[in-house]
Amino acid sequence: MISMRNVGKRYVPDKPPALVDVNVEIEQGEFVFLVGHSGSGKSTFIKLMLREILPTTGSINVAGQDLIKMRNWKVPYLRRNIGCVFQDFKLLPNKTTYENVAFALEVIGRSKHVIRTQVPEVLRLVGLEDKIESYPDELSGGEQQRVSIARAFVNRPPLLLADEPTGNLDPATSLGIMSLLSRINKTGTTVLIATHDREMVDSMRKRVIALEGGRIIRDQSRGVYGYGD
Amino acid sequence: MGINAGYFIRESFVSFRRNWVMSLGAVITIYLSLLLVGASVGSSVVVNNIVESVEDKVSIRIFLKDGAATEDVDALQAALLADDRVKEVNYTTKEEALEEFKATMEDSPEIVDQLEVNPLPASLDVDLNDPQDVMDVVATIKANETFPNVADKPEEPEKSLKYGQQIVNQLFAFTRILRTIGVAFIAMLAAISLIFINNSIRLAIYARRKEIGIMRLVGASNWFIRTPFLMEGVLQSLIGAVLALGTLGVVTVYVMPVVREQLPFLPFSISSTATIQISLILVVSGMIIGAVGSAFALRRYLRV
């Protein structure tokens, strides 16, 4: 699903690089944590997979497509295969829960029929079927994050990226979000979560890739967060 | 691509409403510039009509001296008639010239009454097939050997001839100046409209940067993100064009008849084909300005 070979990224020529010689293979259906301090290269990693940026060296393959050779106009079609969840939810405040999720289908040209069947279904999956008409400011943080997960998943992408999905949430709510992501993973979707959340990582016992100074310092299945132990 | 066009139209109207101040500014500048385009195209049509009607009246009048030999006059007339640029040649006697003069002076007959003798010369009136030939035919007349024998003032050939070319030349010079000034103004206003549209689209992009970010995130194609903004620019300029057309329509219907009454000797009129052409020019150039202006803004402010 994701394959990085000797990937390096240097933003400014004379500064230390953001990523150095990263080699990662993530298979279809895996559940992976990407951990590391701020500045360790997590965000660069995510941006590379979305092809917001290109690496300085190395090759990247996501969902069967070579991102280096990919033409710019094809990038949107790559992103249809990658659901994205962020710390700040990125919901539109003037749209209801339903409309926020429907928007994601609308703008990639899905038919009204598809929207009418898929949106309620995914909202049931994330447990928000009774908040369909609520606006984001009427929802709690956890509920907003569920909306954003619903939006990321409504198109049934094979890959779901989450960048600090629980960064703004209390532990109990975070647990709910994690179990939701884990449920989505059980449907066969590859899930990659970049996070600081030590307890979450330790309790889930999933594969952990640890970054430090732009290098992968650890990659273990059923791992723990691991710093300062 | 089977998405309903309704989405784009709805989006561009919503955006238009959302920052209506900038949109209004763009609409007004486009309105003014297109109004000027329309006015200058329309007036050049009118002036061309006038020029043509003057050209139609272009004939060369050769003033004859009193007592010119009849055979010389006949010879000149025959020579001119033999020229295939000449349509017809009419002889106007002194008495007919006086009658004509009386007719133009009917408001003040006392001037005519004061005349003791008829001071007006007889003349040959030469009508041409093509007004363009006036200067050539004038030269031919001057070169004709019987012309000095019959001319009213043989030593000053120019004064024995009267033709409308002078007027036509002046009119053409006038329209040229008018057109140059018009083009300069239009270019300026077009530039200003471009800047305004550019700005209003930039604001529209800024107002919707969050939505754009999400659209990119979920994989909306580039043209899908761009189209509403492009359409908004075109919408603004279309509104401007329609307003300009309306204003010009009001001018033609209510102002032209008044002008025509004031200046009855000039044929102020615009044919319906010219009207359609002007409308097309306005609408098409408006849409081009709108599309180019918003395309600029998209290139600069919308990285997709």
Side-chain angles (χ1 to χ4, degrees):
Chain A
M1 179 52 58
I2 302 170
S3 156
M4 291 197 178
R5 298 251 162 86
N6 310 318
V7 170
K9 177 68 186 176
R10 193 186 280 272
Y11 288 101
V12 190
D14 295 326
K15 293 269 174 66
L19 283 182
V20 188
D21 197 28
V22 170
N23 285 285
V24 172
E25 295 286 337
I26 296 174
E27 300 302 323
Q28 168 94 48
E30 276 196 85
F31 191 105
V32 182
F33 284 113
L34 185 66
V35 301
H37 296 294
S38 312
S40 59
K42 292 199 304 282
S43 300
T44 303
F45 194 99
I46 300 267
K47 281 184 186 156
L48 282 170
M49 269 187 297
L50 287 169
R51 205 183 173 280
E52 277 188 41
I53 53 175
L54 280 167
T56 321
T57 58
S59 65
I60 305 177
N61 220 292
V62 174
Q65 285 164 298
D66 184 340
L67 299 201
I68 314 297
K69 288 193 185 134
M70 178 176 279
R71 305 291 222 143
N72 277 331
W73 66 269
K74 275 195 165 172
V75 172
Y77 301 94
L78 166 76
R79 294 191 183 146
R80 290 179 194 188
N81 288 323
I82 308 175
C84 269
V85 178
F86 292 92
Q87 183 170 7
D88 59 353
F89 318 137
K90 293 193 193 295
L91 300 176
L92 295 171
N94 56 343
K95 287 190 192 295
T96 63
T97 298
Y98 182 92
E99 289 164 346
N100 262 295
V101 177
F103 184 71
L105 291 177
E106 224 174 278
V107 300
I108 60 171
R110 292 288 179 272
S111 72
K112 284 209 174 79
H113 172 74
V114 170
I115 293 173
R116 265 198 292 265
T117 54
Q118 288 198 15
V119 175
E121 199 182 310
V122 78
L123 285 175
R124 248 194 320 278
L125 176 77
V126 302
L128 284 177
E129 59 267 46
D130 50 350
K131 303 275 185 177
I132 278 179
E133 296 302 326
S134 305
Y135 287 89
D137 59 1
E138 299 164 355
L139 298 172
S140 70
E143 286 167 337
Q144 289 187 49
Q145 193 59 294
R146 283 166 193 272
V147 178
S148 118
I149 291 171
R151 183 182 62 198
F153 192 60
V154 68
N155 192 35
R156 305 290 153 138
L159 173 61
L160 194 77
L161 290 184
D163 192 359
E164 303 283 1
T166 59
N168 278 342
L169 307 173
D170 60 69
T173 316
S174 299
L175 202 63
I177 295 295
M178 279 301 166
S179 72
L180 173 57
L181 289 173
S182 156
R183 232 182 319 141
I184 284 174
N185 174 242
K186 295 236 165 64
T187 66
T189 303
T190 313
V191 175
L192 178 71
I193 302 170
T195 185
H196 276 117
D197 198 331
R198 172 187 301 268
E199 280 145 53
M200 195 58 56
V201 175
D202 289 350
S203 68
M204 299 278 287
R205 290 278 162 177
K206 300 281 190 185
R207 178 175 172 190
V208 175
I209 298 171
L211 281 171
E212 198 177 274
R215 291 171 194 276
I216 293 184
I217 55 165
R218 193 156 48 89
D219 182 350
Q220 51 189 172
S221 50
R222 305 188 61 76
V224 291
Y225 194 93
Y227 290 110
D229 289 354
Chain B
M1 314 263 154
I3 311 163
N4 43 353
Y7 169 83
F8 295 118
I9 294 168
R10 201 173 65 234
E11 287 300 302
S12 49
F13 271 101
V14 165
S15 181
F16 189 97
R17 263 213 325 266
R18 199 176 299 174
N19 52 103
W20 62 274
V21 176
M22 274 314 286
S23 301
L24 199 68
V27 166
I28 289 172
T29 45
I30 288 166
Y31 164 62
L32 289 179
S33 47
L34 290 182
L35 190 62
L36 218 71
V37 172
S40 82
V41 173
S43 61
S44 83
V45 167
V46 167
V47 171
N48 274 343
N49 278 348
I50 294 173
V51 169
E52 264 167 36
S53 79
V54 173
E55 277 186 336
D56 280 344
K57 287 177 197 147
V58 164
S59 60
I60 305 165
R61 183 165 267 210
I62 307 166
F63 295 115
L64 305 173
K65 69 179 170 194
D66 293 353
T70 320
E71 53 269 30
D72 284 343
V73 175
D74 289 346
L76 181 58
Q77 189 168 5
L80 286 171
L81 277 173
D83 194 321
D84 51 4
R85 291 169 300 191
V86 174
K87 190 155 68 179
E88 53 180 335
V89 182
N90 292 308
Y91 182 71
T92 309
T93 62
K94 283 176 73 73
E95 291 71 34
E96 282 164 350
L98 185 63
E99 288 304 314
E100 236 176 69
F101 180 66
K102 275 183 186 165
T104 58
M105 285 290 144
E106 62 184 331
D107 288 343
S108 40
E110 65 281 358
I111 294 177
V112 181
D113 292 340
Q114 280 168 3
L115 296 173
E116 286 168 9
V117 291
N118 180 356
L120 297 173
S123 61
L124 281 176
D125 300 327
V126 185
D127 281 329
L128 303 182
N129 289 318
D130 184 350
Q132 300 291 329
D133 293 331
V134 168
M135 295 312 288
D136 292 344
V137 176
V138 164
T140 316
I141 294 172
K142 281 186 198 161
N144 189 294
E145 63 243 17
T146 49
F147 174 64
N149 298 340
V150 298
D152 189 27
K153 297 192 173 80
E155 64 283 358
E156 288 174 283
E158 203 52 53
K159 289 208 168 157
S160 305
L161 293 165
K162 187 180 149 214
Y163 50 94
Q165 190 62 33
Q166 293 102 331
I167 306 168
V168 171
N169 282 343
Q170 278 163 6
L171 271 174
F172 272 132
F174 179 65
T175 48
R176 252 200 307 279
I177 292 170
L178 210 68
R179 212 169 293 159
T180 318
I181 294 174
V183 166
F185 260 101
I186 290 162
M188 245 155 57
L189 278 170
I192 296 171
S193 327
L194 278 179
I195 293 168
F196 255 88
I197 291 209
N198 186 59
N199 250 328
S200 79
I201 298 303
R202 176 187 167 186
L203 280 191
I205 292 170
Y206 185 76
R208 304 184 52 186
R209 62 196 181 287
K210 234 182 144 174
E211 263 165 284
I212 293 169
I214 292 168
M215 285 160 96
R216 293 180 46 195
L217 204 64
V218 301
S221 61
N222 296 346
W223 67 267
F224 190 93
I225 298 175
R226 287 195 191 113
T227 305
F229 296 109
L230 210 61
M231 282 187 57
E232 191 184 339
V234 174
L235 178 76
Q236 288 171 355
S237 44
L238 264 185
I239 294 175
V242 169
L243 287 178
L245 266 182
T247 310
L248 289 175
V250 168
V251 168
T252 356
V253 171
Y254 294 101
V255 180
M256 291 274 273
V258 178
V259 177
R260 217 169 327 194
E261 228 164 78
Q262 299 294 313
L263 304 167
F265 49 89
L266 289 179
F268 272 102
S269 68
I270 292 184
S271 64
S272 53
T273 32
T275 312
I276 292 168
Q277 276 171 355
I278 292 173
S279 318
L280 272 179
I281 289 173
L282 290 193
V283 171
V284 170
S285 52
M287 280 170 61
I288 290 173
I289 291 176
V292 171
S294 40
F296 261 133
L298 290 180
R299 274 183 69 97
R300 285 182 58 188
Y301 307 111
L302 187 63
R303 291 259 161 266
V304 286

